[in-house]
């Protein structure tokens, strides 16, 4: 088994699905807006983007497609160890950044918090667990999230698990077994939706295994789409597909969520991935898609530190609707700008440094 291949160089030679990158950015933005609205509307039915959390399932499905596309024909040659190193270099710098930002927000929140309730030892332990993606839902002031200092990291935990399963099992099996696994995990999605009433779980201790069901189906479905070449040629373009994606996030929140949400996850998102891979991108929108895709992960992994401060602010100061509209709009724009800054100043240089260091060791 050769370990002389440069995975980053090999990947650059492949076709790039710019529209899928652009859609990932739209999904990340939807998550950010959803998290703001989640604080404002205690009744989810009033939230105009009440299904924004389903963007995570879209991420999972897209991840399965991209991992299959990027590594199915290379992982045997590059080796499992190199595969894991590639994924850690790609994912973990921002896991660390999100943890640090979350810790700072916890320690220096200008709008409240109950820091005095927690010992220094518990804070340090929680931070270390966050750095290494070890679930530890012990901070009440953070809603007992699996990762108290960076709530969205729960999905990265499952992303890592999916990558491990891919490396040891999924890349070795054929389409028949992959299809069977996808069908079984579809039943798990329906089970979770029926008994929970929705697919919002995965971020907390009691809903831990809901996250497993969500990653299992969507990752397998994305991988199956790639291996089956279920790519639908179309002329919807980035704008058309972006509109279709947003529709999933703004559909009404109702008592029928246990039906509508699985439908979106099981059928609608895989369809959008197939359409996105086969759509034609207008040259004028290429830079938009590139920017959208590039900032999607930094935005997703850095935004929630601000959300805790926002939650404490509205709880203690009770701003009116006009003030909230202004604050959220400005905050979203600033968070996108901050994500771009983190990407340029931190994420790209760190990944470049680690990649170069790795090359020297080959």
């Amino acid at each position: 088994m050769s370990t002389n291949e440069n995975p980053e160089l090999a990947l650059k030679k492949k076709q790039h699905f710019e529209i899928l990158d652009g859609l990932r950015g739209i999904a990340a933005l939807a998550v950010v807006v959803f998290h703001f609205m989640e604080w404002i509307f205690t009744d989810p039915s009033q939230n105009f983007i009440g299904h924004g959390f389903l963007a995570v399932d879209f991420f999972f499905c897209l991840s399965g497609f991209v991992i299959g596309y990027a590594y199915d024909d290379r992982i045997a040659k590059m080796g499992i160890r190199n595969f894991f190193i590639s994924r850690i270099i790609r994912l973990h710098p921002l896991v660390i950044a999100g943890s640090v930002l979350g810790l700072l927000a916890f320690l220096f929140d200008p709008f409240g918090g109950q820091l005095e309730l927690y010992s220094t030892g518990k804070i340090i332990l929680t931070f270390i667990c966050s750095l290494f993606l070890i679930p530890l839902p012990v901070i009440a002031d953070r809603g007992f999230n699996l990762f108290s200092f960076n709530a969205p990291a729960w999905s990265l935990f499952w992303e890592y698990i999916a990558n491990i399963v891919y490396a040891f099992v999924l890349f070795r099996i054929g389409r028949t077994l992959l299809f069977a696994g996808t069908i079984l995990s579809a039943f798990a999605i329906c089970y979770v939706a029926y008994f929970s009433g929705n697919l919002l779980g995965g971020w907390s201790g009691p809903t831990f295994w809901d996250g497993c069901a969500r990653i299992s189906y969507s990752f397998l479905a994305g991988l199956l789409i790639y291996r089956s070449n279920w790519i639908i040629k179309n002329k919807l373009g980035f704008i058309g597909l972006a509109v279709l994606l947003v529709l999933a996030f703004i559909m009404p929140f109702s008592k029928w969520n246990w039906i509508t949400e699985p439908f979106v996850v099981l059928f609608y998102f895989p369809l959008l991935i197939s359409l996105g891979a086969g759509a034609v991108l207008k040259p004028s929108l290429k830079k938009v898609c590139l920017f959208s895709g590039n900032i999607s992960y930094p935005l997703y992994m850095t935004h929630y530190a601000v959300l805790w401060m926002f939650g404490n602010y509205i709880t203690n100061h009770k701003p009116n609707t006009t003030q909230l509209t202004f604050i959220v709009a400005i905050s979203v724009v600033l968070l996108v700008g901050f994500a771009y800054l983190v990407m340029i100043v931190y994420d790209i240089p760190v990944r470049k440094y680690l990649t170069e260091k790795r090359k020297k060791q080959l």
Side-chain angles (χ1 to χ4, degrees):
M1 186 176 293
S2 171
T3 59
N4 292 325
E5 178 183 354
N6 180 349
E8 300 298 327
L9 183 61
L11 192 55
K12 285 179 181 177
K13 295 177 182 177
K14 291 195 167 215
Q15 173 193 350
H16 207 70
F17 294 103
E18 288 98 345
I19 287 182
L20 291 180
D21 277 348
L23 294 179
R24 184 167 60 237
I26 297 295
L29 200 59
V31 169
V32 174
V33 176
F34 166 76
H35 283 150
F36 274 108
M37 295 301 109
E38 199 177 26
W39 278 106
I40 295 171
F41 298 109
T42 53
D43 180 1
S45 64
Q46 297 178 330
N47 187 345
F48 77 91
I49 193 167
H51 285 98
F53 63 88
L54 291 178
V56 175
D57 300 272
F58 181 78
F59 291 148
F60 288 155
C61 192
L62 183 55
S63 178
F65 179 88
V66 170
I67 290 294
Y69 175 74
Y71 292 104
D72 263 9
D73 60 350
R74 300 190 303 121
I75 189 170
K77 186 178 180 181
M78 70 189 289
I80 291 176
R81 178 176 178 273
N82 275 334
F83 170 75
F84 286 146
I85 292 173
S86 290
R87 299 308 294 155
I88 290 170
I89 290 175
R90 177 65 187 95
L91 298 175
H92 219 77
L94 284 169
V95 171
I96 294 171
S99 300
V100 171
L101 290 170
L103 175 64
L104 293 175
F106 183 73
L107 295 177
F108 304 108
D109 187 343
F111 304 114
Q114 302 180 55
L115 187 60
E116 67 280 357
L117 297 180
Y118 306 98
S119 67
T120 301
K122 178 177 276 192
I123 293 172
I124 291 173
L125 178 61
T126 303
F127 178 62
I128 291 172
C129 287
S130 183
L131 290 176
F132 292 97
L133 284 181
I134 302 170
L136 187 69
V138 297
I139 305 293
D141 199 42
R142 289 297 186 251
F144 292 107
N145 275 269
L146 292 179
F147 300 95
S148 299
F149 294 146
N150 195 20
W154 74 267
S155 63
L156 265 295
F157 169 84
W158 286 113
E159 179 74 22
Y160 268 111
I161 297 298
N163 278 244
I164 292 169
V165 175
Y166 171 81
F168 287 109
V169 179
L170 297 178
F171 98 89
R172 304 172 188 273
I173 67 175
R175 265 202 312 154
T176 301
L177 278 177
L178 182 61
F179 183 76
T182 307
I183 295 299
L184 285 174
S185 55
F187 281 108
I189 284 285
C190 294
Y191 176 87
V192 168
Y194 179 76
F195 283 97
S196 300
N198 56 54
L199 292 176
L200 184 56
W203 55 271
S204 65
T207 65
F208 177 81
W209 292 108
D210 293 11
C212 182
R214 292 174 72 181
I215 184 74
S216 296
Y217 174 79
S218 292
F219 189 89
L220 291 175
L223 190 57
L224 186 63
I225 291 168
Y226 166 70
R227 290 191 183 169
S228 303
N229 197 31
W230 290 339
I231 295 176
I232 304 171
K233 299 293 183 182
N234 63 90
K235 297 181 180 180
L236 287 169
F238 172 62
I239 300 298
L241 285 165
V243 170
L244 291 177
L245 180 60
V246 169
L247 288 177
F249 305 142
I250 63 174
M251 68 178 179
F253 201 92
S254 70
K255 65 179 182 179
W256 302 106
N257 289 334
W258 66 278
I259 295 177
T260 57
E261 290 175 7
F263 177 83
V264 167
V265 171
L266 297 180
F267 304 109
Y268 192 65
F269 284 161
L271 175 62
L272 290 185
I273 299 294
S274 297
L275 290 170
V280 178
L281 178 65
K282 292 181 179 180
S284 59
L285 292 174
K286 186 171 183 177
K287 288 185 178 180
V288 174
C289 285
L290 183 63
F291 176 80
S292 180
N294 284 341
I295 61 113
S296 60
Y297 184 44
L299 178 61
Y300 182 72
M301 288 302 288
T302 62
H303 77 279
Y304 213 87
V306 171
L307 265 298
W308 290 118
M309 291 187 283
F310 174 75
N312 285 329
Y313 171 75
I314 65 172
T315 300
N316 296 324
H317 293 82
K318 312 294 182 186
N320 60 41
T321 302
T322 302
Q323 290 172 323
L324 282 172
T325 302
F326 179 78
I327 291 169
V328 172
I330 295 298
S331 296
V332 170
V333 172
L334 290 177
L335 282 169
V336 170
F338 181 70
Y340 180 77
L341 186 65
V342 169
M343 179 184 74
I344 295 298
V345 174
Y346 168 76
D347 187 41
I348 291 177
V350 169
R351 288 194 286 120
K352 184 178 180 181
Y353 167 77
L354 293 174
T355 301
E356 291 297 327
K357 188 175 181 179
R358 178 187 177 195
K359 285 179 185 177
K360 292 176 182 178
Q361 295 174 346
L362 292 177

